[in-house]
Short mmCIF file of all heavy atoms in Angstrom, two decimals:
data_model
loop_
_atom_site.label_atom_id
_atom_site.label_comp_id
_atom_site.label_asym_id
_atom_site.label_seq_id
_atom_site.Cartn_x
_atom_site.Cartn_y
_atom_site.Cartn_z
N CYS O 161 -15.46 23.75 0.14
CA CYS O 161 -15.85 23.00 -1.07
C CYS O 161 -16.32 21.60 -0.67
O CYS O 161 -15.66 20.91 0.12
CB CYS O 161 -14.68 22.91 -2.04
SG CYS O 161 -14.98 21.83 -3.47
N GLY O 162 -17.44 21.15 -1.21
CA GLY O 162 -17.99 19.86 -0.84
C GLY O 162 -17.08 18.69 -1.19
O GLY O 162 -16.88 17.78 -0.37
N LYS O 163 -16.51 18.69 -2.37
CA LYS O 163 -15.63 17.60 -2.78
C LYS O 163 -14.39 17.54 -1.91
O LYS O 163 -13.98 16.46 -1.46
CB LYS O 163 -15.25 17.78 -4.25
CG LYS O 163 -14.34 16.68 -4.79
CD LYS O 163 -13.98 16.92 -6.24
CE LYS O 163 -13.04 15.83 -6.75
NZ LYS O 163 -12.67 16.06 -8.18
N ASP O 164 -13.80 18.71 -1.67
CA ASP O 164 -12.60 18.74 -0.82
C ASP O 164 -12.95 18.31 0.61
O ASP O 164 -12.14 17.65 1.28
CB ASP O 164 -12.01 20.15 -0.80
CG ASP O 164 -11.43 20.54 -2.15
OD1 ASP O 164 -11.01 19.63 -2.90
OD2 ASP O 164 -11.41 21.75 -2.46
N PHE O 165 -14.12 18.67 1.07
CA PHE O 165 -14.56 18.28 2.41
C PHE O 165 -14.56 16.76 2.57
O PHE O 165 -14.01 16.21 3.53
CB PHE O 165 -15.96 18.87 2.67
CG PHE O 165 -16.66 18.31 3.87
CD1 PHE O 165 -16.29 18.69 5.16
CD2 PHE O 165 -17.69 17.39 3.73
CE1 PHE O 165 -16.96 18.18 6.27
CE2 PHE O 165 -18.36 16.88 4.83
CZ PHE O 165 -17.98 17.27 6.11
N PHE O 166 -15.18 16.08 1.62
CA PHE O 166 -15.24 14.61 1.70
C PHE O 166 -13.86 13.99 1.47
O PHE O 166 -13.51 12.99 2.11
CB PHE O 166 -16.24 14.08 0.67
CG PHE O 166 -17.67 14.31 1.05
CD1 PHE O 166 -18.47 15.16 0.30
CD2 PHE O 166 -18.23 13.69 2.16
CE1 PHE O 166 -19.80 15.38 0.65
CE2 PHE O 166 -19.55 13.91 2.52
CZ PHE O 166 -20.34 14.76 1.77
N ASN O 167 -13.08 14.56 0.58
CA ASN O 167 -11.75 14.00 0.31
C ASN O 167 -10.83 14.09 1.53
O ASN O 167 -10.14 13.14 1.88
CB ASN O 167 -11.11 14.73 -0.88
CG ASN O 167 -11.68 14.30 -2.22
OD1 ASN O 167 -12.38 13.29 -2.30
ND2 ASN O 167 -11.42 15.08 -3.25
N VAL O 168 -10.83 15.26 2.17
CA VAL O 168 -9.97 15.44 3.36
C VAL O 168 -10.42 14.52 4.48
O VAL O 168 -9.59 13.86 5.14
CB VAL O 168 -9.99 16.92 3.81
CG1 VAL O 168 -9.30 17.07 5.17
CG2 VAL O 168 -9.30 17.80 2.78
N ALA O 169 -11.73 14.45 4.70
CA ALA O 169 -12.25 13.59 5.77
C ALA O 169 -11.90 12.13 5.52
O ALA O 169 -11.45 11.41 6.43
CB ALA O 169 -13.76 13.77 5.90
N ALA O 170 -12.09 11.68 4.27
CA ALA O 170 -11.79 10.27 3.95
C ALA O 170 -10.30 9.99 4.09
O ALA O 170 -9.90 8.92 4.57
CB ALA O 170 -12.26 9.96 2.53
N SER O 171 -9.46 10.94 3.70
CA SER O 171 -8.01 10.75 3.82
C SER O 171 -7.58 10.62 5.28
O SER O 171 -6.80 9.73 5.63
CB SER O 171 -7.27 11.92 3.15
OG SER O 171 -7.59 12.02 1.78
N LEU O 172 -8.10 11.51 6.13
CA LEU O 172 -7.72 11.48 7.53
C LEU O 172 -8.24 10.23 8.23
O LEU O 172 -7.56 9.66 9.10
CB LEU O 172 -8.23 12.74 8.24
CG LEU O 172 -7.61 14.06 7.76
CD1 LEU O 172 -8.22 15.23 8.51
CD2 LEU O 172 -6.10 14.05 7.96
N GLU O 173 -9.43 9.79 7.86
CA GLU O 173 -9.97 8.55 8.44
C GLU O 173 -9.09 7.36 8.07
O GLU O 173 -8.79 6.51 8.92
CB GLU O 173 -11.40 8.33 7.97
CG GLU O 173 -12.42 9.27 8.61
CD GLU O 173 -13.80 9.12 8.02
OE1 GLU O 173 -13.93 8.65 6.87
OE2 GLU O 173 -14.78 9.47 8.71
N ALA O 174 -8.67 7.30 6.83
CA ALA O 174 -7.86 6.17 6.38
C ALA O 174 -6.46 6.20 6.98
O ALA O 174 -5.94 5.18 7.44
CB ALA O 174 -7.77 6.17 4.85
N LEU O 175 -5.84 7.38 6.99
CA LEU O 175 -4.46 7.48 7.49
C LEU O 175 -4.37 7.28 8.99
O LEU O 175 -3.38 6.74 9.49
CB LEU O 175 -3.88 8.84 7.10
CG LEU O 175 -3.62 9.05 5.61
CD1 LEU O 175 -3.36 10.52 5.31
CD2 LEU O 175 -2.43 8.21 5.15
N SER O 176 -5.39 7.70 9.73
CA SER O 176 -5.37 7.53 11.18
C SER O 176 -5.73 6.11 11.60
O SER O 176 -5.56 5.75 12.77
CB SER O 176 -6.33 8.52 11.85
OG SER O 176 -7.67 8.30 11.44
N ALA O 177 -6.22 5.31 10.66
CA ALA O 177 -6.64 3.94 10.98
C ALA O 177 -5.67 2.89 10.47
O ALA O 177 -5.97 1.69 10.51
CB ALA O 177 -8.03 3.68 10.40
N ILE O 178 -4.50 3.29 9.97
CA ILE O 178 -3.51 2.33 9.47
C ILE O 178 -3.11 1.38 10.59
O ILE O 178 -2.74 1.80 11.68
CB ILE O 178 -2.27 3.06 8.90
CG1 ILE O 178 -2.66 3.78 7.60
CG2 ILE O 178 -1.12 2.11 8.67
CD1 ILE O 178 -1.52 4.58 7.00
N GLN O 179 -3.18 0.09 10.33
CA GLN O 179 -2.90 -0.91 11.35
C GLN O 179 -1.48 -1.47 11.25
O GLN O 179 -0.95 -1.97 12.25
CB GLN O 179 -3.91 -2.06 11.22
CG GLN O 179 -5.36 -1.64 11.39
CD GLN O 179 -5.66 -1.09 12.77
OE1 GLN O 179 -5.09 -1.52 13.76
NE2 GLN O 179 -6.56 -0.12 12.84
N SER O 180 -0.88 -1.42 10.08
CA SER O 180 0.45 -1.99 9.91
C SER O 180 1.48 -1.19 10.70
O SER O 180 1.67 0.01 10.47
CB SER O 180 0.84 -2.00 8.42
OG SER O 180 2.18 -2.44 8.26
N THR O 181 2.16 -1.84 11.62
CA THR O 181 3.14 -1.16 12.47
C THR O 181 4.28 -0.58 11.66
O THR O 181 4.78 0.52 11.95
CB THR O 181 3.69 -2.14 13.53
OG1 THR O 181 2.60 -2.68 14.28
CG2 THR O 181 4.65 -1.44 14.47
N GLU O 182 4.71 -1.30 10.62
CA GLU O 182 5.85 -0.85 9.83
C GLU O 182 5.57 0.39 9.00
O GLU O 182 6.50 1.01 8.47
CB GLU O 182 6.32 -1.98 8.91
CG GLU O 182 6.98 -3.12 9.66
CD GLU O 182 7.53 -4.18 8.72
OE1 GLU O 182 6.72 -4.97 8.21
OE2 GLU O 182 8.75 -4.20 8.49
N LEU O 183 4.30 0.78 8.90
CA LEU O 183 3.95 1.99 8.16
C LEU O 183 3.84 3.20 9.08
O LEU O 183 3.58 4.31 8.61
CB LEU O 183 2.62 1.79 7.42
CG LEU O 183 2.63 0.77 6.28
CD1 LEU O 183 1.25 0.65 5.67
CD2 LEU O 183 3.66 1.15 5.21
N LEU O 184 4.07 3.00 10.38
CA LEU O 184 3.96 4.11 11.32
C LEU O 184 5.21 4.99 11.26
O LEU O 184 6.27 4.57 10.80
CB LEU O 184 3.74 3.58 12.74
CG LEU O 184 2.45 2.77 12.94
CD1 LEU O 184 2.35 2.28 14.37
CD2 LEU O 184 1.22 3.59 12.56
N TYR O 185 5.07 6.20 11.78
CA TYR O 185 6.11 7.22 11.62
C TYR O 185 7.47 6.85 12.21
O TYR O 185 8.50 7.22 11.65
CB TYR O 185 5.60 8.54 12.22
CG TYR O 185 6.50 9.72 11.95
CD1 TYR O 185 7.00 9.97 10.67
CD2 TYR O 185 6.84 10.60 12.97
CE1 TYR O 185 7.81 11.06 10.42
CE2 TYR O 185 7.66 11.70 12.73
CZ TYR O 185 8.15 11.91 11.45
OH TYR O 185 8.96 12.99 11.21
N PRO O 186 7.55 6.13 13.35
CA PRO O 186 8.87 5.82 13.89
C PRO O 186 9.80 5.11 12.91
O PRO O 186 11.02 5.26 12.99
CB PRO O 186 8.55 4.92 15.09
CG PRO O 186 7.21 5.37 15.55
CD PRO O 186 6.47 5.71 14.28
N PHE O 187 9.27 4.36 11.97
CA PHE O 187 10.11 3.66 11.00
C PHE O 187 10.60 4.58 9.88
O PHE O 187 11.46 4.20 9.09
CB PHE O 187 9.34 2.49 10.39
CG PHE O 187 9.18 1.33 11.34
CD1 PHE O 187 8.02 1.19 12.09
CD2 PHE O 187 10.19 0.39 11.50
CE1 PHE O 187 7.86 0.14 12.98
CE2 PHE O 187 10.04 -0.67 12.39
CZ PHE O 187 8.88 -0.79 13.13
N PHE O 188 10.05 5.80 9.83
CA PHE O 188 10.46 6.76 8.81
C PHE O 188 11.22 7.94 9.41
O PHE O 188 11.91 8.66 8.68
CB PHE O 188 9.23 7.28 8.05
CG PHE O 188 8.49 6.22 7.29
CD1 PHE O 188 7.58 5.38 7.93
CD2 PHE O 188 8.71 6.04 5.93
CE1 PHE O 188 6.90 4.39 7.22
CE2 PHE O 188 8.03 5.06 5.21
CZ PHE O 188 7.12 4.23 5.87
N TYR O 189 11.08 8.14 10.70
CA TYR O 189 11.69 9.29 11.36
C TYR O 189 13.20 9.13 11.49
O TYR O 189 13.70 8.07 11.88
CB TYR O 189 11.08 9.47 12.76
CG TYR O 189 11.76 10.50 13.62
CD1 TYR O 189 11.61 11.86 13.36
CD2 TYR O 189 12.56 10.11 14.69
CE1 TYR O 189 12.24 12.81 14.16
CE2 TYR O 189 13.18 11.06 15.50
CZ TYR O 189 13.02 12.40 15.22
OH TYR O 189 13.65 13.33 16.00
N ARG O 190 13.91 10.19 11.16
CA ARG O 190 15.36 10.23 11.32
C ARG O 190 15.71 11.49 12.11
O ARG O 190 15.46 12.60 11.63
CB ARG O 190 16.09 10.22 9.98
CG ARG O 190 15.89 8.95 9.16
CD ARG O 190 16.49 7.74 9.88
NE ARG O 190 16.25 6.50 9.15
CZ ARG O 190 15.24 5.68 9.38
NH1 ARG O 190 14.35 5.98 10.33
NH2 ARG O 190 15.10 4.56 8.69
N PRO O 191 16.25 11.36 13.32
CA PRO O 191 16.54 12.54 14.14
C PRO O 191 17.58 13.44 13.49
O PRO O 191 18.52 12.97 12.85
CB PRO O 191 17.06 11.93 15.46
CG PRO O 191 17.57 10.58 15.09
CD PRO O 191 16.69 10.11 13.96
N MET O 192 17.40 14.74 13.69
CA MET O 192 18.33 15.73 13.14
C MET O 192 19.44 16.06 14.13
O MET O 192 20.21 16.97 13.89
CB MET O 192 17.56 17.01 12.78
CG MET O 192 16.45 16.79 11.76
SD MET O 192 17.05 16.11 10.20
CE MET O 192 18.02 17.51 9.61
N TYR O 193 19.49 15.35 15.23
CA TYR O 193 20.52 15.56 16.23
C TYR O 193 21.33 14.27 16.38
O TYR O 193 20.89 13.19 16.00
CB TYR O 193 19.89 15.95 17.57
CG TYR O 193 18.82 14.98 18.05
CD1 TYR O 193 19.16 13.83 18.77
CD2 TYR O 193 17.47 15.21 17.80
CE1 TYR O 193 18.20 12.94 19.20
CE2 TYR O 193 16.50 14.32 18.23
CZ TYR O 193 16.88 13.19 18.94
OH TYR O 193 15.91 12.31 19.35
#
Side-chain angles (χ1 to χ4, degrees):
C161 173
K163 180 181 179 180
D164 292 333
F165 167 76
F166 286 114
N167 284 346
V168 170
S171 300
L172 295 178
E173 287 174 337
L175 291 167
S176 62
I178 290 177
Q179 300 296 327
S180 175
T181 304
E182 290 184 283
L183 293 178
L184 299 179
Y185 188 47
F187 287 95
F188 297 82
Y189 171 73
R190 296 296 177 265
M192 301 301 292
Y193 53 85

